[in-house]
PDB file of all heavy atoms in Angstrom:
ATOM      1  N   HIS A 182     115.814 255.761 214.152  1.00 96.00           N
ATOM      2  CA  HIS A 182     116.197 256.842 215.065  1.00 96.00           C
ATOM      3  C   HIS A 182     117.233 256.361 216.079  1.00 96.00           C
ATOM      4  O   HIS A 182     118.089 257.143 216.512  1.00 96.00           O
ATOM      5  CB  HIS A 182     114.982 257.443 215.758  1.00 96.00           C
ATOM      6  CG  HIS A 182     114.002 256.463 216.291  1.00 96.00           C
ATOM      7  ND1 HIS A 182     113.080 255.828 215.498  1.00 96.00           N
ATOM      8  CD2 HIS A 182     113.781 256.005 217.552  1.00 96.00           C
ATOM      9  CE1 HIS A 182     112.331 255.025 216.244  1.00 96.00           C
ATOM     10  NE2 HIS A 182     112.748 255.107 217.491  1.00 96.00           N
ATOM     11  N   LYS A 183     117.176 255.105 216.465  1.00 97.00           N
ATOM     12  CA  LYS A 183     118.227 254.527 217.312  1.00 97.00           C
ATOM     13  C   LYS A 183     119.546 254.524 216.545  1.00 97.00           C
ATOM     14  O   LYS A 183     120.603 254.894 217.076  1.00 97.00           O
ATOM     15  CB  LYS A 183     117.850 253.120 217.739  1.00 97.00           C
ATOM     16  CG  LYS A 183     119.026 252.270 218.249  1.00 97.00           C
ATOM     17  CD  LYS A 183     118.591 250.842 218.462  1.00 97.00           C
ATOM     18  CE  LYS A 183     119.762 249.875 218.595  1.00 97.00           C
ATOM     19  NZ  LYS A 183     120.442 249.582 217.318  1.00 97.00           N
ATOM     20  N   ALA A 184     119.499 254.108 215.281  1.00 97.00           N
ATOM     21  CA  ALA A 184     120.692 254.069 214.448  1.00 97.00           C
ATOM     22  C   ALA A 184     121.295 255.461 214.270  1.00 97.00           C
ATOM     23  O   ALA A 184     122.523 255.629 214.302  1.00 97.00           O
ATOM     24  CB  ALA A 184     120.353 253.457 213.088  1.00 97.00           C
ATOM     25  N   GLN A 185     120.445 256.457 214.086  1.00 97.00           N
ATOM     26  CA  GLN A 185     120.945 257.820 213.921  1.00 97.00           C
ATOM     27  C   GLN A 185     121.672 258.295 215.184  1.00 97.00           C
ATOM     28  O   GLN A 185     122.723 258.933 215.088  1.00 97.00           O
ATOM     29  CB  GLN A 185     119.790 258.762 213.578  1.00 97.00           C
ATOM     30  CG  GLN A 185     119.239 258.542 212.185  1.00 97.00           C
ATOM     31  CD  GLN A 185     118.120 259.494 211.840  1.00 97.00           C
ATOM     32  OE1 GLN A 185     117.468 260.052 212.717  1.00 97.00           O
ATOM     33  NE2 GLN A 185     117.874 259.692 210.558  1.00 97.00           N
ATOM     34  N   ARG A 186     121.114 257.992 216.328  1.00 98.00           N
ATOM     35  CA  ARG A 186     121.773 258.374 217.582  1.00 98.00           C
ATOM     36  C   ARG A 186     123.114 257.668 217.702  1.00 98.00           C
ATOM     37  O   ARG A 186     124.111 258.271 218.123  1.00 98.00           O
ATOM     38  CB  ARG A 186     120.876 258.058 218.780  1.00 98.00           C
ATOM     39  CG  ARG A 186     121.502 258.383 220.133  1.00 98.00           C
ATOM     40  CD  ARG A 186     121.883 259.843 220.253  1.00 98.00           C
ATOM     41  NE  ARG A 186     122.666 260.102 221.458  1.00 98.00           N
ATOM     42  CZ  ARG A 186     123.358 261.205 221.680  1.00 98.00           C
ATOM     43  NH1 ARG A 186     123.376 262.170 220.769  1.00 98.00           N
ATOM     44  NH2 ARG A 186     124.039 261.364 222.797  1.00 98.00           N
ATOM     45  N   GLU A 187     123.176 256.397 217.335  1.00 98.00           N
ATOM     46  CA  GLU A 187     124.439 255.662 217.365  1.00 98.00           C
ATOM     47  C   GLU A 187     125.455 256.300 216.422  1.00 98.00           C
ATOM     48  O   GLU A 187     126.656 256.360 216.735  1.00 98.00           O
ATOM     49  CB  GLU A 187     124.199 254.203 216.983  1.00 98.00           C
ATOM     50  CG  GLU A 187     123.445 253.423 218.053  1.00 98.00           C
ATOM     51  CD  GLU A 187     122.955 252.069 217.587  1.00 98.00           C
ATOM     52  OE1 GLU A 187     122.938 251.826 216.354  1.00 98.00           O
ATOM     53  OE2 GLU A 187     122.565 251.254 218.447  1.00 98.00           O
ATOM     54  N   GLY A 188     124.983 256.794 215.276  1.00 98.00           N
ATOM     55  CA  GLY A 188     125.872 257.467 214.337  1.00 98.00           C
ATOM     56  C   GLY A 188     126.478 258.728 214.932  1.00 98.00           C
ATOM     57  O   GLY A 188     127.667 259.021 214.739  1.00 98.00           O
ATOM     58  N   ILE A 189     125.670 259.482 215.663  1.00 98.00           N
ATOM     59  CA  ILE A 189     126.175 260.684 216.326  1.00 98.00           C
ATOM     60  C   ILE A 189     127.191 260.319 217.405  1.00 98.00           C
ATOM     61  O   ILE A 189     128.260 260.927 217.513  1.00 98.00           O
ATOM     62  CB  ILE A 189     125.001 261.489 216.924  1.00 98.00           C
ATOM     63  CG1 ILE A 189     124.164 262.103 215.797  1.00 98.00           C
ATOM     64  CG2 ILE A 189     125.505 262.577 217.871  1.00 98.00           C
ATOM     65  CD1 ILE A 189     122.881 262.740 216.265  1.00 98.00           C
ATOM     66  N   VAL A 190     126.832 259.290 218.206  1.00 98.00           N
ATOM     67  CA  VAL A 190     127.729 258.872 219.293  1.00 98.00           C
ATOM     68  C   VAL A 190     129.086 258.453 218.749  1.00 98.00           C
ATOM     69  O   VAL A 190     130.135 258.885 219.259  1.00 98.00           O
ATOM     70  CB  VAL A 190     127.098 257.714 220.100  1.00 98.00           C
ATOM     71  CG1 VAL A 190     128.129 257.082 221.035  1.00 98.00           C
ATOM     72  CG2 VAL A 190     125.905 258.213 220.904  1.00 98.00           C
ATOM     73  N   VAL A 191     129.110 257.633 217.710  1.00 98.00           N
ATOM     74  CA  VAL A 191     130.388 257.118 217.217  1.00 98.00           C
ATOM     75  C   VAL A 191     131.244 258.239 216.635  1.00 98.00           C
ATOM     76  O   VAL A 191     132.472 258.270 216.824  1.00 98.00           O
ATOM     77  CB  VAL A 191     130.168 255.987 216.187  1.00 98.00           C
ATOM     78  CG1 VAL A 191     129.632 256.509 214.872  1.00 98.00           C
ATOM     79  CG2 VAL A 191     131.460 255.220 215.951  1.00 98.00           C
ATOM     80  N   ALA A 192     130.618 259.190 215.949  1.00 98.00           N
ATOM     81  CA  ALA A 192     131.384 260.311 215.383  1.00 98.00           C
ATOM     82  C   ALA A 192     131.991 261.156 216.491  1.00 98.00           C
ATOM     83  O   ALA A 192     133.135 261.624 216.379  1.00 98.00           O
ATOM     84  CB  ALA A 192     130.485 261.159 214.491  1.00 98.00           C
ATOM     85  N   GLU A 193     131.241 261.354 217.567  1.00 98.00           N
ATOM     86  CA  GLU A 193     131.741 262.165 218.674  1.00 98.00           C
ATOM     87  C   GLU A 193     132.828 261.432 219.453  1.00 98.00           C
ATOM     88  O   GLU A 193     133.803 262.054 219.900  1.00 98.00           O
ATOM     89  CB  GLU A 193     130.579 262.566 219.580  1.00 98.00           C
ATOM     90  CG  GLU A 193     129.616 263.529 218.887  1.00 98.00           C
ATOM     91  CD  GLU A 193     128.492 264.004 219.786  1.00 98.00           C
ATOM     92  OE1 GLU A 193     128.357 263.486 220.917  1.00 98.00           O
ATOM     93  OE2 GLU A 193     127.741 264.912 219.349  1.00 98.00           O
ATOM     94  N   VAL A 194     132.689 260.124 219.611  1.00 98.00           N
ATOM     95  CA  VAL A 194     133.730 259.331 220.289  1.00 98.00           C
ATOM     96  C   VAL A 194     135.041 259.400 219.502  1.00 98.00           C
ATOM     97  O   VAL A 194     136.116 259.647 220.061  1.00 98.00           O
ATOM     98  CB  VAL A 194     133.276 257.864 220.450  1.00 98.00           C
ATOM     99  CG1 VAL A 194     134.461 256.976 220.851  1.00 98.00           C
ATOM    100  CG2 VAL A 194     132.177 257.760 221.491  1.00 98.00           C
ATOM    101  N   ILE A 195     134.952 259.211 218.190  1.00 98.00           N
ATOM    102  CA  ILE A 195     136.144 259.273 217.339  1.00 98.00           C
ATOM    103  C   ILE A 195     136.784 260.660 217.413  1.00 98.00           C
ATOM    104  O   ILE A 195     138.010 260.801 217.370  1.00 98.00           O
ATOM    105  CB  ILE A 195     135.774 258.919 215.881  1.00 98.00           C
ATOM    106  CG1 ILE A 195     135.477 257.414 215.771  1.00 98.00           C
ATOM    107  CG2 ILE A 195     136.889 259.312 214.911  1.00 98.00           C
ATOM    108  CD1 ILE A 195     134.915 256.989 214.431  1.00 98.00           C
ATOM    109  N   SER A 196     135.958 261.677 217.590  1.00 98.00           N
ATOM    110  CA  SER A 196     136.456 263.062 217.644  1.00 98.00           C
ATOM    111  C   SER A 196     136.937 263.472 219.032  1.00 98.00           C
ATOM    112  O   SER A 196     137.288 264.626 219.251  1.00 98.00           O
ATOM    113  CB  SER A 196     135.368 264.023 217.162  1.00 98.00           C
ATOM    114  OG  SER A 196     134.972 263.714 215.837  1.00 98.00           O
ATOM    115  N   GLY A 197     136.915 262.527 219.961  1.00 97.00           N
ATOM    116  CA  GLY A 197     137.472 262.799 221.286  1.00 97.00           C
ATOM    117  C   GLY A 197     136.502 263.311 222.318  1.00 97.00           C
ATOM    118  O   GLY A 197     136.913 263.677 223.430  1.00 97.00           O
ATOM    119  N   LEU A 198     135.200 263.338 221.978  1.00 98.00           N
ATOM    120  CA  LEU A 198     134.207 263.790 222.948  1.00 98.00           C
ATOM    121  C   LEU A 198     133.819 262.654 223.890  1.00 98.00           C
ATOM    122  O   LEU A 198     133.869 261.483 223.515  1.00 98.00           O
ATOM    123  CB  LEU A 198     132.962 264.323 222.231  1.00 98.00           C
ATOM    124  CG  LEU A 198     133.184 265.496 221.258  1.00 98.00           C
ATOM    125  CD1 LEU A 198     131.862 265.941 220.647  1.00 98.00           C
ATOM    126  CD2 LEU A 198     133.864 266.660 221.958  1.00 98.00           C
ATOM    127  N   ASN A 199     133.407 262.997 225.070  1.00 96.00           N
ATOM    128  CA  ASN A 199     133.031 261.991 226.073  1.00 96.00           C
ATOM    129  C   ASN A 199     131.548 261.657 225.908  1.00 96.00           C
ATOM    130  O   ASN A 199     130.699 262.079 226.688  1.00 96.00           O
ATOM    131  CB  ASN A 199     133.317 262.509 227.485  1.00 96.00           C
ATOM    132  CG  ASN A 199     133.027 261.454 228.542  1.00 96.00           C
ATOM    133  OD1 ASN A 199     133.067 260.251 228.260  1.00 96.00           O
ATOM    134  ND2 ASN A 199     132.721 261.892 229.751  1.00 96.00           N
ATOM    135  N   THR A 200     131.238 260.888 224.883  1.00 97.00           N
ATOM    136  CA  THR A 200     129.856 260.541 224.556  1.00 97.00           C
ATOM    137  C   THR A 200     129.678 259.030 224.641  1.00 97.00           C
ATOM    138  O   THR A 200     130.551 258.283 224.225  1.00 97.00           O
ATOM    139  CB  THR A 200     129.496 261.021 223.134  1.00 97.00           C
ATOM    140  OG1 THR A 200     129.827 262.394 222.986  1.00 97.00           O
ATOM    141  CG2 THR A 200     128.011 260.830 222.850  1.00 97.00           C
ATOM    142  N   LYS A 201     128.533 258.612 225.170  1.00 97.00           N
ATOM    143  CA  LYS A 201     128.228 257.186 225.266  1.00 97.00           C
ATOM    144  C   LYS A 201     126.779 256.953 224.838  1.00 97.00           C
ATOM    145  O   LYS A 201     125.929 257.825 224.969  1.00 97.00           O
ATOM    146  CB  LYS A 201     128.449 256.673 226.692  1.00 97.00           C
ATOM    147  CG  LYS A 201     129.915 256.671 227.120  1.00 97.00           C
ATOM    148  CD  LYS A 201     130.074 256.179 228.555  1.00 97.00           C
ATOM    149  CE  LYS A 201     131.540 256.009 228.926  1.00 97.00           C
ATOM    150  NZ  LYS A 201     132.319 257.252 228.773  1.00 97.00           N
ATOM    151  N   MET A 202     126.517 255.759 224.356  1.00 97.00           N
ATOM    152  CA  MET A 202     125.165 255.405 223.925  1.00 97.00           C
ATOM    153  C   MET A 202     124.343 254.933 225.110  1.00 97.00           C
ATOM    154  O   MET A 202     124.787 254.098 225.891  1.00 97.00           O
ATOM    155  CB  MET A 202     125.228 254.308 222.856  1.00 97.00           C
ATOM    156  CG  MET A 202     123.893 253.989 222.220  1.00 97.00           C
ATOM    157  SD  MET A 202     123.216 255.385 221.289  1.00 97.00           S
ATOM    158  CE  MET A 202     121.503 254.862 221.122  1.00 97.00           C
ATOM    159  N   ASP A 203     123.140 255.488 225.238  1.00 93.00           N
ATOM    160  CA  ASP A 203     122.232 255.132 226.319  1.00 93.00           C
ATOM    161  C   ASP A 203     120.943 254.608 225.695  1.00 93.00           C
ATOM    162  O   ASP A 203     120.236 255.338 225.006  1.00 93.00           O
ATOM    163  CB  ASP A 203     121.941 256.359 227.185  1.00 93.00           C
ATOM    164  CG  ASP A 203     120.969 256.066 228.322  1.00 93.00           C
ATOM    165  OD1 ASP A 203     120.640 254.886 228.534  1.00 93.00           O
ATOM    166  OD2 ASP A 203     120.536 257.022 228.990  1.00 93.00           O
ATOM    167  N   TYR A 204     120.636 253.324 225.944  1.00 94.00           N
ATOM    168  CA  TYR A 204     119.454 252.706 225.351  1.00 94.00           C
ATOM    169  C   TYR A 204     118.243 252.726 226.289  1.00 94.00           C
ATOM    170  O   TYR A 204     117.227 252.097 225.997  1.00 94.00           O
ATOM    171  CB  TYR A 204     119.762 251.259 224.954  1.00 94.00           C
ATOM    172  CG  TYR A 204     120.774 251.139 223.848  1.00 94.00           C
ATOM    173  CD1 TYR A 204     122.081 250.729 224.117  1.00 94.00           C
ATOM    174  CD2 TYR A 204     120.429 251.436 222.533  1.00 94.00           C
ATOM    175  CE1 TYR A 204     123.013 250.618 223.100  1.00 94.00           C
ATOM    176  CE2 TYR A 204     121.358 251.328 221.507  1.00 94.00           C
ATOM    177  CZ  TYR A 204     122.658 250.913 221.796  1.00 94.00           C
ATOM    178  OH  TYR A 204     123.570 250.812 220.778  1.00 94.00           O
ATOM    179  N   ARG A 205     118.349 253.434 227.378  1.00 91.00           N
ATOM    180  CA  ARG A 205     117.255 253.445 228.346  1.00 91.00           C
ATOM    181  C   ARG A 205     115.976 254.041 227.753  1.00 91.00           C
ATOM    182  O   ARG A 205     114.870 253.618 228.079  1.00 91.00           O
ATOM    183  CB  ARG A 205     117.680 254.244 229.589  1.00 91.00           C
ATOM    184  CG  ARG A 205     116.724 254.168 230.767  1.00 91.00           C
ATOM    185  CD  ARG A 205     117.336 254.867 231.977  1.00 91.00           C
ATOM    186  NE  ARG A 205     117.616 256.269 231.704  1.00 91.00           N
ATOM    187  CZ  ARG A 205     116.774 257.272 232.002  1.00 91.00           C
ATOM    188  NH1 ARG A 205     115.626 257.010 232.585  1.00 91.00           N
ATOM    189  NH2 ARG A 205     117.095 258.521 231.735  1.00 91.00           N
ATOM    190  N   VAL A 206     116.144 255.024 226.890  1.00 95.00           N
ATOM    191  CA  VAL A 206     114.986 255.705 226.315  1.00 95.00           C
ATOM    192  C   VAL A 206     115.063 255.676 224.792  1.00 95.00           C
ATOM    193  O   VAL A 206     115.707 256.523 224.178  1.00 95.00           O
ATOM    194  CB  VAL A 206     114.897 257.164 226.811  1.00 95.00           C
ATOM    195  CG1 VAL A 206     113.616 257.811 226.288  1.00 95.00           C
ATOM    196  CG2 VAL A 206     114.936 257.221 228.324  1.00 95.00           C
ATOM    197  N   VAL A 207     114.430 254.672 224.199  1.00 96.00           N
ATOM    198  CA  VAL A 207     114.338 254.574 222.738  1.00 96.00           C
ATOM    199  C   VAL A 207     112.872 254.368 222.381  1.00 96.00           C
ATOM    200  O   VAL A 207     112.347 253.255 222.475  1.00 96.00           O
ATOM    201  CB  VAL A 207     115.177 253.412 222.180  1.00 96.00           C
ATOM    202  CG1 VAL A 207     115.077 253.377 220.655  1.00 96.00           C
ATOM    203  CG2 VAL A 207     116.637 253.527 222.616  1.00 96.00           C
ATOM    204  N   PRO A 208     112.169 255.433 222.030  1.00 97.00           N
ATOM    205  CA  PRO A 208     110.755 255.271 221.674  1.00 97.00           C
ATOM    206  C   PRO A 208     110.595 254.469 220.388  1.00 97.00           C
ATOM    207  O   PRO A 208     111.497 254.440 219.542  1.00 97.00           O
ATOM    208  CB  PRO A 208     110.267 256.714 221.489  1.00 97.00           C
ATOM    209  CG  PRO A 208     111.497 257.488 221.146  1.00 97.00           C
ATOM    210  CD  PRO A 208     112.618 256.825 221.889  1.00 97.00           C
ATOM    211  N   SER A 209     109.444 253.815 220.261  1.00 96.00           N
ATOM    212  CA  SER A 209     109.146 253.065 219.037  1.00 96.00           C
ATOM    213  C   SER A 209     107.735 253.404 218.588  1.00 96.00           C
ATOM    214  O   SER A 209     106.900 253.837 219.388  1.00 96.00           O
ATOM    215  CB  SER A 209     109.275 251.563 219.282  1.00 96.00           C
ATOM    216  OG  SER A 209     108.342 251.135 220.266  1.00 96.00           O
ATOM    217  N   ALA A 210     107.478 253.206 217.309  1.00 96.00           N
ATOM    218  CA  ALA A 210     106.140 253.503 216.783  1.00 96.00           C
ATOM    219  C   ALA A 210     105.810 252.570 215.636  1.00 96.00           C
ATOM    220  O   ALA A 210     106.686 252.172 214.862  1.00 96.00           O
ATOM    221  CB  ALA A 210     106.059 254.953 216.322  1.00 96.00           C
ATOM    222  N   ILE A 211     104.541 252.202 215.563  1.00 96.00           N
ATOM    223  CA  ILE A 211     104.006 251.470 214.423  1.00 96.00           C
ATOM    224  C   ILE A 211     102.945 252.361 213.802  1.00 96.00           C
ATOM    225  O   ILE A 211     102.012 252.810 214.478  1.00 96.00           O
ATOM    226  CB  ILE A 211     103.408 250.117 214.854  1.00 96.00           C
ATOM    227  CG1 ILE A 211     104.501 249.231 215.459  1.00 96.00           C
ATOM    228  CG2 ILE A 211     102.757 249.415 213.665  1.00 96.00           C
ATOM    229  CD1 ILE A 211     103.987 247.908 215.998  1.00 96.00           C
ATOM    230  N   PHE A 212     103.081 252.616 212.496  1.00 95.00           N
ATOM    231  CA  PHE A 212     102.222 253.603 211.843  1.00 95.00           C
ATOM    232  C   PHE A 212     100.992 252.927 211.245  1.00 95.00           C
ATOM    233  O   PHE A 212     100.723 253.022 210.050  1.00 95.00           O
ATOM    234  CB  PHE A 212     103.026 254.378 210.806  1.00 95.00           C
ATOM    235  CG  PHE A 212     104.100 255.225 211.435  1.00 95.00           C
ATOM    236  CD1 PHE A 212     105.319 254.670 211.798  1.00 95.00           C
ATOM    237  CD2 PHE A 212     103.880 256.564 211.703  1.00 95.00           C
ATOM    238  CE1 PHE A 212     106.314 255.434 212.409  1.00 95.00           C
ATOM    239  CE2 PHE A 212     104.859 257.340 212.307  1.00 95.00           C
ATOM    240  CZ  PHE A 212     106.071 256.778 212.669  1.00 95.00           C
ATOM    241  N   SER A 213     100.272 252.239 212.118  1.00 93.00           N
ATOM    242  CA  SER A 213      99.028 251.593 211.726  1.00 93.00           C
ATOM    243  C   SER A 213      97.906 252.622 211.836  1.00 93.00           C
ATOM    244  O   SER A 213      98.163 253.823 211.932  1.00 93.00           O
ATOM    245  CB  SER A 213      98.771 250.393 212.635  1.00 93.00           C
ATOM    246  OG  SER A 213      98.876 250.763 214.005  1.00 93.00           O
ATOM    247  N   SER A 214      96.680 252.164 211.859  1.00 92.00           N
ATOM    248  CA  SER A 214      95.554 253.081 212.013  1.00 92.00           C
ATOM    249  C   SER A 214      94.571 252.485 213.013  1.00 92.00           C
ATOM    250  O   SER A 214      93.843 251.557 212.676  1.00 92.00           O
ATOM    251  CB  SER A 214      94.855 253.303 210.673  1.00 92.00           C
ATOM    252  OG  SER A 214      93.770 254.187 210.801  1.00 92.00           O
ATOM    253  N   PRO A 215      94.576 252.967 214.290  1.00 94.00           N
ATOM    254  CA  PRO A 215      95.383 254.080 214.792  1.00 94.00           C
ATOM    255  C   PRO A 215      96.838 253.661 215.021  1.00 94.00           C
ATOM    256  O   PRO A 215      97.173 252.481 214.950  1.00 94.00           O
ATOM    257  CB  PRO A 215      94.697 254.415 216.116  1.00 94.00           C
ATOM    258  CG  PRO A 215      94.153 253.102 216.587  1.00 94.00           C
ATOM    259  CD  PRO A 215      93.693 252.408 215.332  1.00 94.00           C
ATOM    260  N   GLU A 216      97.663 254.664 215.297  1.00 96.00           N
ATOM    261  CA  GLU A 216      99.080 254.403 215.514  1.00 96.00           C
ATOM    262  C   GLU A 216      99.328 253.763 216.879  1.00 96.00           C
ATOM    263  O   GLU A 216      98.500 253.835 217.787  1.00 96.00           O
ATOM    264  CB  GLU A 216      99.876 255.705 215.407  1.00 96.00           C
ATOM    265  CG  GLU A 216      99.874 256.294 214.009  1.00 96.00           C
ATOM    266  CD  GLU A 216     100.686 257.569 213.910  1.00 96.00           C
ATOM    267  OE1 GLU A 216     101.065 258.141 214.950  1.00 96.00           O
ATOM    268  OE2 GLU A 216     100.941 258.010 212.773  1.00 96.00           O
ATOM    269  N   ILE A 217     100.508 253.139 216.987  1.00 96.00           N
ATOM    270  CA  ILE A 217     100.925 252.483 218.228  1.00 96.00           C
ATOM    271  C   ILE A 217     102.318 252.988 218.578  1.00 96.00           C
ATOM    272  O   ILE A 217     103.187 253.064 217.705  1.00 96.00           O
ATOM    273  CB  ILE A 217     100.977 250.950 218.040  1.00 96.00           C
ATOM    274  CG1 ILE A 217      99.628 250.414 217.551  1.00 96.00           C
ATOM    275  CG2 ILE A 217     101.411 250.252 219.327  1.00 96.00           C
ATOM    276  CD1 ILE A 217      99.729 249.057 216.864  1.00 96.00           C
ATOM    277  N   SER A 218     102.540 253.353 219.839  1.00 97.00           N
ATOM    278  CA  SER A 218     103.874 253.796 220.233  1.00 97.00           C
ATOM    279  C   SER A 218     104.160 253.385 221.665  1.00 97.00           C
ATOM    280  O   SER A 218     103.245 253.100 222.449  1.00 97.00           O
ATOM    281  CB  SER A 218     104.031 255.310 220.072  1.00 97.00           C
ATOM    282  OG  SER A 218     103.151 255.995 220.946  1.00 97.00           O
ATOM    283  N   ALA A 219     105.445 253.352 222.003  1.00 97.00           N
ATOM    284  CA  ALA A 219     105.850 252.951 223.351  1.00 97.00           C
ATOM    285  C   ALA A 219     107.234 253.502 223.659  1.00 97.00           C
ATOM    286  O   ALA A 219     108.024 253.796 222.759  1.00 97.00           O
ATOM    287  CB  ALA A 219     105.861 251.425 223.478  1.00 97.00           C
ATOM    288  N   VAL A 220     107.512 253.629 224.957  1.00 97.00           N
ATOM    289  CA  VAL A 220     108.839 254.028 225.414  1.00 97.00           C
ATOM    290  C   VAL A 220     109.046 253.465 226.814  1.00 97.00           C
ATOM    291  O   VAL A 220     108.088 253.322 227.580  1.00 97.00           O
ATOM    292  CB  VAL A 220     109.008 255.564 225.404  1.00 97.00           C
ATOM    293  CG1 VAL A 220     108.169 256.229 226.479  1.00 97.00           C
ATOM    294  CG2 VAL A 220     110.478 255.953 225.545  1.00 97.00           C
ATOM    295  N   GLY A 221     110.284 253.147 227.138  1.00 97.00           N
ATOM    296  CA  GLY A 221     110.585 252.665 228.478  1.00 97.00           C
ATOM    297  C   GLY A 221     109.977 251.312 228.771  1.00 97.00           C
ATOM    298  O   GLY A 221     109.803 250.475 227.879  1.00 97.00           O
ATOM    299  N   LEU A 222     109.605 251.093 230.032  1.00 97.00           N
ATOM    300  CA  LEU A 222     109.109 249.799 230.489  1.00 97.00           C
ATOM    301  C   LEU A 222     107.589 249.705 230.420  1.00 97.00           C
ATOM    302  O   LEU A 222     106.887 250.677 230.671  1.00 97.00           O
ATOM    303  CB  LEU A 222     109.545 249.548 231.937  1.00 97.00           C
ATOM    304  CG  LEU A 222     111.054 249.517 232.222  1.00 97.00           C
ATOM    305  CD1 LEU A 222     111.295 249.323 233.715  1.00 97.00           C
ATOM    306  CD2 LEU A 222     111.743 248.424 231.417  1.00 97.00           C
ATOM    307  N   THR A 223     107.107 248.504 230.089  1.00 96.00           N
ATOM    308  CA  THR A 223     105.684 248.234 230.226  1.00 96.00           C
ATOM    309  C   THR A 223     105.412 247.814 231.677  1.00 96.00           C
ATOM    310  O   THR A 223     106.336 247.573 232.461  1.00 96.00           O
ATOM    311  CB  THR A 223     105.239 247.097 229.299  1.00 96.00           C
ATOM    312  OG1 THR A 223     105.887 245.883 229.702  1.00 96.00           O
ATOM    313  CG2 THR A 223     105.581 247.402 227.849  1.00 96.00           C
ATOM    314  N   GLU A 224     104.146 247.709 232.018  1.00 96.00           N
ATOM    315  CA  GLU A 224     103.767 247.263 233.361  1.00 96.00           C
ATOM    316  C   GLU A 224     104.357 245.887 233.661  1.00 96.00           C
ATOM    317  O   GLU A 224     104.911 245.657 234.753  1.00 96.00           O
ATOM    318  CB  GLU A 224     102.241 247.220 233.472  1.00 96.00           C
ATOM    319  CG  GLU A 224     101.731 246.740 234.815  1.00 96.00           C
ATOM    320  CD  GLU A 224     100.211 246.753 234.907  1.00 96.00           C
ATOM    321  OE1 GLU A 224      99.546 247.241 233.964  1.00 96.00           O
ATOM    322  OE2 GLU A 224      99.679 246.264 235.923  1.00 96.00           O
ATOM    323  N   GLU A 225     104.275 244.973 232.693  1.00 95.00           N
ATOM    324  CA  GLU A 225     104.779 243.612 232.894  1.00 95.00           C
ATOM    325  C   GLU A 225     106.294 243.598 233.063  1.00 95.00           C
ATOM    326  O   GLU A 225     106.840 242.876 233.913  1.00 95.00           O
ATOM    327  CB  GLU A 225     104.353 242.731 231.724  1.00 95.00           C
ATOM    328  CG  GLU A 225     102.846 242.510 231.663  1.00 95.00           C
ATOM    329  CD  GLU A 225     102.410 241.803 230.394  1.00 95.00           C
ATOM    330  OE1 GLU A 225     103.232 241.069 229.820  1.00 95.00           O
ATOM    331  OE2 GLU A 225     101.245 241.982 229.981  1.00 95.00           O
ATOM    332  N   GLU A 226     107.001 244.388 232.254  1.00 96.00           N
ATOM    333  CA  GLU A 226     108.459 244.421 232.348  1.00 96.00           C
ATOM    334  C   GLU A 226     108.914 245.007 233.678  1.00 96.00           C
ATOM    335  O   GLU A 226     109.886 244.528 234.278  1.00 96.00           O
ATOM    336  CB  GLU A 226     109.029 245.235 231.179  1.00 96.00           C
ATOM    337  CG  GLU A 226     108.909 244.534 229.836  1.00 96.00           C
ATOM    338  CD  GLU A 226     109.230 245.445 228.668  1.00 96.00           C
ATOM    339  OE1 GLU A 226     109.048 246.678 228.795  1.00 96.00           O
ATOM    340  OE2 GLU A 226     109.648 244.931 227.614  1.00 96.00           O
ATOM    341  N   ALA A 227     108.242 246.035 234.146  1.00 96.00           N
ATOM    342  CA  ALA A 227     108.595 246.651 235.431  1.00 96.00           C
ATOM    343  C   ALA A 227     108.422 245.657 236.572  1.00 96.00           C
ATOM    344  O   ALA A 227     109.281 245.550 237.467  1.00 96.00           O
ATOM    345  CB  ALA A 227     107.740 247.895 235.665  1.00 96.00           C
TER     346      ALA A 227
END
């Protein structure tokens, strides 16, 4: 999903739009049982 967003950004930049990539919010998930997901900063990182 990060790669897909980068694909959109690059196409829009080439087409002259004022678009930039922002990595501040990139959610992640592990499809275990139960599932695991995260976004932004953890307590330790903050």
